């Protein structure tokens, strides 16, 4: 299905260079101010989660789009003419109306993501970072395709065209990027109408007064209407993260954290009703037979210590350079997906996912990170050579040669630095 790659849906891809540029600017400013709001391992973890989400989404987002197309064709109350959304003043009003409706449903999806375990299991990835900066904005889930699309079905029952839905959703999500920073203070009346950095810092905080507040995407008016608004207070600075800390920088661990501990609880439940009900209860719910969980309480939050992982030492430059290649691979998978080269996306994506897993393992100080990375470097040029044979994609010889040279050079640097790794 090529529906997911319609030109109307490519706004986020076009925004990626601006995202990366603003991240670099914030990183430079953070170093200049010596605030240390950005921890390298944490930033790489957030960006890895984003790259995971983007590349796996090439395949998984087809589920939601397929459902939307079916609803639009068979269940819609009427078909909204695409001609309404043109460059005229009335067309602009139509676009603004669609954006407003999408933002309304986003509020409720976001709220479900905090108040229902099934939704929280996917959304929690975005909140696991114990820092708060622009890289946090790109820290996205890879499992939202399981249930997240359900919330927007009413828009298709109303006959909103898929291209319009995709465009306004991209606009809303692009807007949300800039609010993930600690370098923008309160903005007066703007804070009372729109989602701003101050409002969203509250949303990402695990302070008791701030938890489950400020769900809006663009407008914070929804929170004011439905009783979930909370302003940032000078005497209560936000403490970022989740009450059940992840304590890992790995993207797979991030995506599976909630599913793992919920399934562990389910194995210990005796009643099948509880095994089902837990998914629709608030996060942290357990039946009486299991007793309280290990979720951090308010008293422990006072002495909260951020997870910093292992010292990268001389591996810092190696990990950064490999991750830079990972960013390039992410962009390549996007271009290949747009051309319909699904098998190529899968092969290159698998190499990328392996790279991101290893980066997280280095940041965590896992003992298996070194052999896993050496094996990946061995497999990488073989993958490049096999891509042409398996998929028919005509890779130039110089690219295959460059991949081989990069793997050899990387392996040599990594092998020399092996004694710098700290075992977990």
């Amino acid at each position: 299905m090529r529906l997911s790659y319609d030109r109307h849906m490519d706004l986020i891809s076009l925004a990626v260079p601006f995202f990366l540029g603003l991240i670099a600017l914030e990183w430079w400013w953070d170093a200049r101010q010596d605030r240390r709001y950005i921890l390298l391992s944490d930033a790489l973890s957030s960006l890895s989660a984003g790259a995971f989400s983007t590349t796996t989404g090439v395949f998984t987002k087809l589920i939601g789009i397929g459902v939307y197309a079916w609803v639009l064709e068979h269940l819609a109350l009427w078909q909204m003419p695409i001609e309404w959304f043109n460059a005229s003043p009335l067309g602009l009003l139509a676009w603004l109306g669609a954006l407003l409706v999408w933002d309304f449903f986003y509020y409720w999806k976001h709220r479900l993501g905090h108040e229902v375990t099934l939704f929280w299991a996917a959304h929690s990835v975005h909140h696991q970072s114990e820092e708060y900066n622009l890289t946090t904005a790109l820290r996205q889930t890879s499992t939202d395709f399981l249930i997240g699309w359900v919330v927007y079905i009413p828009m298709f029952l109303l006959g909103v065209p898929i291209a319009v839905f995709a465009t306004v959703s991209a606009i809303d999500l692009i807007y949300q990027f800039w609010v993930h920073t600690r370098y923008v203070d309160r903005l007066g009346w703007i804070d009372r109408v729109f989602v701003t950095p101050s409002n969203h810092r509250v949303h990402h905080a695990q302070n008791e007064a701030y938890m489950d507040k400020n769900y809006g995407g663009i407008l914070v008016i929804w929170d004011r209407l439905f009783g979930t608004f909370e302003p940032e207070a000078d005497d209560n600075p936000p403490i970022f993260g989740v009450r059940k800390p992840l304590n890992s920088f790995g993207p797979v661990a991030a995506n599976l954290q909630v599913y793992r501990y919920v399934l562990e609880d389910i194995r210990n439940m005796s009643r099948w009703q509880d095994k089902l009900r837990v998914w629709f209860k608030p996060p942290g719910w357990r039946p009486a037979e299991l007793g309280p969980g290990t979720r951090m309480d308010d008293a422990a939050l006072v002495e909260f210590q951020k997870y910093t992982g292992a010292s990268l030492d001389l591996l810092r430059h190696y990990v950064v350079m490999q991750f830079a290649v990972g960013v390039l691979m992410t962009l390549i998978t996007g271009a290949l997906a747009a051309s319909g080269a699904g098998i190529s996306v899968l092969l290159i994506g698998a190499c990328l996912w392996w790279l991101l897993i290893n980066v997280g393992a280095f940041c965590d100080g896992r003992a298996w990170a070194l052999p896993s990375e050496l094996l990946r470097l061995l497999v990488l040029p073989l993958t490049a050579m096999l891509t042409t044979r398996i998929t028919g994609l005509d890779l130039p010889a110089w690219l295959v040669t460059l991949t081989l040279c990069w793997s050899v050079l990387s392996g040599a640097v990594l092998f020399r630095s092996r004694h710098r790794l700290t075992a977990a």
Side-chain angles (χ1 to χ4, degrees), residues 130-150:
E130 294 166 357
E131 306 293 339
Y132 190 79
N133 51 66
L134 291 178
T135 67
T136 312
L138 302 186
R139 186 183 183 91
Q140 299 296 325
T141 177
S142 296
T143 64
D144 190 60
F145 72 95
L146 293 173
I147 194 67
W149 47 267
V150 170

Side-chain angles (χ1 to χ4, degrees), residues 377 380-382 384-385 399-409:
L377 294 173
L380 183 60
L382 297 177
M385 288 185 284
L399 182 58
V400 176
T401 303
L402 181 63
T403 302
L404 177 60
C405 293
W406 175 258
S407 295
V408 172
L409 177 62

